[in-house]
Amino acid sequence: AQSVTQPDIHITVSEGASLELRCNYSYGATPYLFWYVQSPGQGLQLLLKYFSGDTLVQGIKGFEAEFKRSQSSFNLRKPSVHWSDAAEYFCAVGSASGYSTLTFGKGTMLLVSP
Amino acid sequence: DVKVTQSSRYLVKRTGEKVFLECVQDMDHENMFWYRQDPGLGLRLIYFSYDVKMKEKGDIPEGYSVSREKKERFSLILESASTNQTSMYLCASSPGLAGALTSTDTQYFGPGTRLTVL
């Protein structure tokens, strides 16, 4: 069965500093990988996704993620964090076979300090 | 823009009541999903549907049922609500054929319904 681990429950970053959120997945074949963001009181919004090809994926709001098969990781990065980036971030893995369901990690809450 | 709407943002019910949570999407998506979200547990899939009148159990279907009579609408039903079903419920939809995940697939989420069962 596929699974996703987000090792950090909370992360605090100073505004303007760089950010990296970690995501490790477990899946037998080539995974489909996603990052979603959830602002307080809102549903989830897709930041970016990886299906194949270039392992560095660009997303919205200045985010990017890199797929590293050897490390089973799909870490999310942003060079300079803004206060509005404070939210909860979810990594998810999907399968190319079977149904189009996703397995989500437990999330990382990002706090941005002034 | 894809829009997924949920019938209520906040709902308070009593133990034993039958509860209906409604979800509507306006993009003619094949797939629809119901998740519950709890602190520290992330999102867990309750049920999903890949076609009208078709449904599949997710990871935590116990205590829930679903209905999809029309393509745009997917209902989650709590037959007899219990306090451990107090949670945030999120609905999502995605395009796709016969349920299979493709490179164009993205799940679009509604704003959620925060259900409290007293």
Side-chain angles (χ1 to χ4, degrees), chain A residues 32 34 36 38 41-46 49 51 88 90 93-107, chain B residues 9 31 33 35 37 40-43 45 48 50 56 90 94 98-111:
Chain A
Y32 290 170
F34 303 78
Y36 281 85
Q38 185 180 33
Q42 303 295 317
L44 275 69
Q45 180 184 22
L46 180 72
K49 59 185 178 182
F51 278 77
E88 190 158 23
F90 293 93
V93 63
S95 168
S97 61
Y99 295 115
S100 58
T101 58
L102 300 180
T103 299
F104 284 84
K106 294 182 179 180
Chain B
R9 291 300 301 272
N31 307 312
F33 309 84
Y35 296 89
Q37 181 180 14
L41 297 179
L43 276 73
L45 182 64
F48 65 100
Y50 56 89
E56 291 288 337
L90 292 169
S94 72
L101 193 64
T102 68
S103 61
T104 59
D105 261 325
T106 295
Q107 287 191 19
Y108 295 88
F109 284 81

Side-chain angles (χ1 to χ4, degrees), chain A residues 43-44, chain B residues 1-7 9 22-27 29 31-34 72 74 90-94 106-112:
Chain A
L44 275 69
Chain B
D1 278 354
V2 175
K3 193 166 185 181
V4 179
T5 57
Q6 296 183 229
S7 51
R9 291 300 301 272
E22 304 284 338
C23 176
V24 177
Q25 51 95 2
D26 66 356
M27 281 301 292
H29 283 171
N31 307 312
M32 296 189 75
F33 309 84
W34 275 107
E72 68 272 16
F74 192 36
L90 292 169
C91 175
S93 72
S94 72
T106 295
Q107 287 191 19
Y108 295 88
F109 284 81

Side-chain angles (χ1 to χ4, degrees), chain A residues 23-35:
Chain A
C23 172
N24 293 100
Y25 68 89
S26 172
Y27 183 64
T30 299
Y32 290 170
L33 295 160
F34 303 78
W35 275 101

Side-chain angles (χ1 to χ4, degrees), chain B residues 40-94:
Chain B
L41 297 179
L43 276 73
R44 293 178 291 167
L45 182 64
I46 305 171
Y47 268 97
F48 65 100
S49 168
Y50 56 89
D51 200 355
V52 175
K53 297 190 185 295
M54 305 302 289
K55 60 185 180 184
E56 291 288 337
K57 293 180 179 179
D59 300 318
I60 52 164
E62 297 78 18
Y64 303 94
S65 62
V66 290
S67 172
R68 194 170 180 198
E69 296 295 320
K70 293 184 178 181
K71 191 174 186 179
E72 68 272 16
R73 188 179 297 270
F74 192 36
S75 302
L76 180 69
I77 304 158
L78 287 65
E79 295 289 344
S80 178
S82 64
T83 54
N84 63 12
Q85 292 178 310
T86 291
S87 187
M88 170 71 87
Y89 290 88
L90 292 169
C91 175
S93 72
S94 72

